[in-house]
Each structure stands twice: as structure tokens, then as C-alpha cells.
Amino acid sequence: MSEKKSSQISGFYKLSIEERLEKLKDFAGLNEQEIAVLKKESSLELKSADKMIENVIGTMPVPLGIATNFLINGENYLIPMATEEPSVIAAASNAARIARLKGGFTAGSDESIMIGQIQVTDLKNPDDAKNAVIANKQKILALANEQDPVLNKFGGGAKDIEVRILDKFIVVHLLVDCRDAMGANAVNTMAEAAAPLIEEITGGEVILKIISNLAVKRLARSSAVFDKEALGGEEVVDRIILAYKFAAKDPYRCATNNKGIMNGISSVVLATGNDTRAIEAGAHGYAALNGYSPLAKYRKNSDGDLVGEIELPMAVGLIGGATAVHPTAKINVKILGVKTARELEEVIASVGLAQNLAALRALSAEGIQRGHMKLHAKNIAKMAGADDRILDKVVEIMVRERKVRLDRAREIVEELKK
Ligand code: NAD
């Protein structure tokens, strides 16, 4: 046995936060200052945090910022984003500023349909089992709907059933309209309730009954036109399209491309108290459906502007989860001003597109840098006394040498004047 103290602490969950911190102090050798950091109250008070998860010892604040400039379906939005990563919010705001020039983002979403999976094994004949489930569809749906009268009242509930045969077992998909909820609890409850009836119908044994995060029936999409001049010229448009094609052809690049999209998406998901892992699993699952692909696509339109389009599953809610509990999440939803889960889904998809555009533009920016360098060099050359006859030449030499400095400009001016 090592000298290290045992991590087996029975009844840790029963202790008060104070007592848990005592144990932790002893285990990890924390000093008073470190304990004080953990005990410090944030806008999420410790007693509220203690009700949200188990074994609470503190809260972990991340910076919360606001992305500006977003115009989505003609509406103005300020977007709360919770992230520890610098540049994300500035980049999103910048891309939204460019999108605004051509009318902003046009976004849409599917109905809030989630899939509950019920795995049925130990079947004599999977085809017969599938047919039996389909024949009893109404009975299964009715039983599922008995579980959530509130969801039914809001027009949601179990709406349909699909059956897939996988190897020797079948998977029943319960399709549930979750309205303004993310829906995991609602769907899991329904799937569990329907399981015994499905066993009876099929003569099989149900193993798993759980929501799928690959929410292909709950997609959100957004598109925007990005003005070529605002991007830095048609050359930049072409370079962004090449950068996109790189991601489309190469999973190593594509993972990073999609990570960049999630920089924006996860920040809004977290800020609104939604489940970042659910959204990330759904995004990457969807990206991998037909060979891992970029979640956003780009093309050039007849004006030479860049058109970007994004589509991905977006199971976020305004009811349930932490959204309605976390005090900052509640305020963030108010800042957004979204009235339905679908509106929130559309906003988040737009942020994902903005984030991706900003990243691709920065990455393929040699053209932009060159443009910037030229402007800068022109100013320096003028300061060094270059007149119109030699101005372009001085600029050209400095840019070629990558030495845009006043001392070098003076040397070149002198040489050329000779
Ligand atoms: P929930 O159960 O807290 O709230 C949803 C319920 O609110 C509905 O079932 C309905 O009864 C009620 N409701 C009231 N008004 C409504 C309206 N207008 N629209 C819809 N429903 C309304 O939350 P949930 O959304 O079912 O579950 C989300 C939580 O589940 C999250 O915290 C998530 O992290 C967690 N979770 C996720 C997974 C997963 O993603 N795989 C698995 C398990 C749990």
C-alpha cells in the first residue's frame, strides 16, 4: 500500500459541505487559503450547487462574456457565452458583424423530436418481433404518454415508433416530441415504462432503455452570406473554401474544424445551463454519419461572396435540467430573449457557423495579413519620405523582405533616390 490516503470515504455524500472540505483538506493537504477559494460563494450559491449534483465542495466559475452583432432571422441578439478560452467571443462577434452586412443569419429547426432506444434481445425471430411491435404501436405510444401528462398538455409526447433490426436483436425507437425541454428525463421515463409491454409483445428481453444523443430528428440549421470585401477580398473567399475542403477530405483537420465550431456552440449551451456533452455527442455523431465531415459547408455565390451553411442536432431546452435552476443560466436566457427551445437551437447553430467562419478566415489569412502588411508598409514608406514615383517600389521591397520597418524604409528610399 502506498503512503497515500485511501479515497474510499464511506458516507461522503451525507456530510455537510464544511465536513467534506475537512476531509479534502486532510486528503490533499490543502491549506486554509485553498479551502477559502473553494468555499467562496459565486452567483451559484453552495447550497444550490449542493442540490444540483452529488458530493459538492465548491463551484467552478468560468468567464461569461457577450458576443455582439448577431442578427438572426431579422432579430437582434446579444449572446451569452461561458468559456475559459480567449478569442472565442471576439471571433464570433466579428463574424456576426460580417454576416450582418448581407442580412445576418437565416436559421431554422425541426420539431423537438428525440429518440428513446429500447433494445430487445433473446428473440426467436427479429422480423416477427419487429412486425409485432409495429402492430401494437398505438398501445405502446399510449402507455408512454401516460407517463408525462404535462408534456402532453404542451402538445408534446410520444408520437411514433420505428424498429431497427441489429444483428440478432431489435431496437425500438420511441419518437418523442419534447417541446421546450431537452427531454432526456422525459424520454428515459417513457422508454422504461414501455419496456415491459414491449417484452410482452415480442417475447424477448429488454436490456437498454435510454435516449439517443444522435438527435437526427431535431436538427438546427443556419446559413449566412459573408461579404467578400469585408472578408478581405475574393482571394480570401477562395482560401476559406480551400480550408473547408481540407476538413472535408481529412479527419485530422476535420476534428479540429468541428472543435472550433463547438467553441461557440458549447459556450452558449453551457451559459444557458444545457448539457454540453449531449450536444457534443450529437454533433460528432452526426458529423460521422456518412464518414466524418465538417458540420458547416461553404461555397461561393455568383457575386463572389462566401455562403456558409451549418446543420447539426441541437437538443437544448428552456425547461428542466439546470436551465431553470442555475441563477446565471436563467439570466442568460433572459439576455438572449428566446421564447422557445427551437429559437434557442437556431441561435446556437448560428453561433456555431459564425465561430467556424471566424476560425477559417483567421487560419487562411495569409492573404489578409499580406493586405494588412501592404497598408502598413505604405504608411511606413510615406513616413520615410517616399514620393509617388517610388512609393510602390518601396512597399514591394519591404513586403518581399518581410521587413516593414522605418529604418529599412529610409535605407530603401535613399538607395532608390540615388
Ligand atoms: P426535466 O425532466 O427536468 O424536464 C422536462 C419535463 O418538464 C417534461 O417531461 C414535462 O413534464 C415538463 N414540462 C413543463 N413545461 C414543458 C414544456 N413547455 N415543454 C416540455 N416539457 C415541459 O428535463 P429533461 O429535459 O427531460 O432532461 C434534461 C436533463 O437530463 C439534463 O439535465 C440532462 O443533462 C439530463 N440527462 C441527459 C442524458 C443524455 O443526454 N444522454 C441522460 C440522462 C439525463
Side-chain angles (χ1 to χ4, degrees):
M1 283 285 276
S2 76
E3 285 293 303
K4 223 169 165 226
K5 299 188 173 103
S6 173
S7 62
Q8 192 176 31
I9 309 174
S10 91
F12 192 75
Y13 70 98
K14 287 188 210 156
L15 303 179
S16 66
I17 293 173
E18 198 77 36
E19 289 165 331
R20 283 179 205 144
L21 286 168
E22 265 313 303
K23 294 262 183 211
L24 207 60
K25 194 173 159 190
D26 182 41
F27 183 90
L30 299 185
N31 61 34
E32 287 303 329
Q33 257 175 333
E34 288 160 336
I35 293 292
V37 169
L38 290 173
K39 275 164 86 169
K40 203 171 162 118
E41 298 270 359
S42 68
S43 54
L44 177 62
E45 290 175 9
L46 287 176
K47 65 175 190 315
S48 307
D50 203 24
K51 288 194 194 107
M52 288 173 72
I53 63 163
E54 312 76 42
N55 296 0
V56 163
I57 57 150
T59 57
M60 169 92 188
V62 291
L64 172 69
I66 290 284
T68 55
N69 302 329
F70 275 84
L71 185 68
I72 304 167
N73 293 336
E75 297 282 340
N76 283 283
Y77 293 90
L78 288 178
I79 317 267
M81 296 175 79
T83 179
E84 85 298 342
E85 191 172 340
S87 298
V88 167
I89 295 173
S93 306
N94 195 25
R97 178 186 57 78
I98 298 174
R100 221 182 154 87
L101 300 172
K102 298 268 167 167
F105 297 86
T106 305
S109 57
D110 298 337
E111 298 274 303
S112 306
I113 303 281
M114 297 301 287
I115 300 169
Q117 295 195 293
I118 301 159
Q119 178 194 21
V120 196
T121 65
D122 204 14
L123 297 166
K124 285 198 191 74
N125 183 327
D127 283 303
D128 289 349
K130 176 178 175 171
N131 292 335
V133 169
I134 291 168
N136 285 280
K137 181 168 118 175
Q138 292 310 331
K139 229 167 133 183
I140 299 168
L141 291 177
L143 179 61
N145 279 322
E146 275 172 31
Q147 313 308 314
D148 204 332
V150 179
L151 189 57
N152 283 301
K153 197 182 90 184
F154 286 101
K159 299 289 180 192
D160 206 353
I161 275 172
E162 286 172 348
V163 187
R164 294 162 60 223
I165 299 178
L166 297 178
D167 195 16
K168 290 194 173 60
F169 56 86
I170 64 167
V171 180
V172 180
H173 281 186
L174 198 57
L175 306 184
V176 184
D177 185 342
C178 298
R179 307 306 281 184
D180 288 321
M182 180 265 178
N185 289 319
V187 170
N188 292 345
T189 307
M190 288 186 184
E192 283 182 17
L197 175 59
I198 290 174
E199 284 184 335
E200 197 184 298
I201 292 166
T202 58
E205 187 188 358
V206 169
I207 310 286
L208 261 63
K209 11 191 196 298
I210 178 79
I211 196 165
S212 170
N213 289 113
L214 183 52
V216 292
K217 295 183 188 294
R218 192 175 185 176
L219 301 177
R221 49 193 74 80
S222 181
S223 64
V225 177
F226 299 97
D227 179 81
K228 63 174 186 285
E229 296 309 333
L231 286 171
E234 199 157 342
E235 186 198 355
V236 179
V237 172
D238 293 336
R239 293 174 77 95
I240 291 173
I241 290 172
L242 281 173
Y244 153 65
K245 285 185 177 161
F246 180 9
K249 291 275 175 212
D250 177 31
Y252 292 91
R253 169 63 207 140
C254 192
T256 321
N257 177 77
N258 288 344
K259 186 273 180 186
I261 292 176
M262 301 317 285
N263 276 344
I265 288 181
S266 296
S267 302
V268 189
V269 172
L270 184 60
T272 54
N274 276 288
D275 186 334
T276 51
R277 290 82 53 215
I279 296 305
E280 280 158 15
H284 293 290
Y286 189 65
L289 263 185
N290 300 306
Y292 193 60
S293 309
L295 288 161
K297 297 187 172 74
Y298 295 90
R299 63 186 161 80
K300 191 155 71 166
N301 69 12
S302 53
D303 297 332
D305 294 327
L306 184 72
V307 182
E309 291 166 336
I310 192 171
E311 182 181 75
L312 76 167
M314 193 52 68
V316 289
L318 295 175
I319 307 281
T323 308
V325 180
H326 195 298
T328 318
K330 284 198 268 189
I331 296 169
N332 288 339
V333 169
K334 187 168 179 182
I335 294 170
L336 276 167
V338 292
K339 296 286 177 282
T340 62
R342 288 178 62 181
E343 187 182 354
L344 177 59
E345 291 167 20
E346 292 165 12
V347 166
I348 296 176
S350 304
V351 175
L353 178 59
Q355 206 70 55
N356 189 223
L357 181 275
L360 291 180
R361 182 185 180 219
L363 287 169
S364 55
E366 215 204 298
I368 300 166
Q369 288 297 58
R370 226 188 293 146
H372 280 183
M373 194 121 98
K374 248 185 174 166
L375 266 183
H376 180 53
K378 219 171 191 174
N379 289 336
I380 299 281
K382 277 185 191 160
M383 278 165 68
D387 56 35
D388 284 349
R389 274 180 311 130
I390 59 168
L391 187 65
D392 287 346
K393 190 75 192 160
V394 179
V395 168
E396 188 199 305
I397 294 170
M398 282 199 294
V399 170
R400 194 177 59 228
E401 291 178 350
R402 292 178 180 271
K403 275 188 201 152
V404 186
R405 295 194 320 249
L406 191 57
D407 58 332
R408 181 65 190 130
R410 284 195 178 123
E411 281 173 17
I412 301 168
V413 169
E414 230 158 80
E415 276 167 34
L416 291 176
K417 277 187 176 168
K418 271 187 213 157

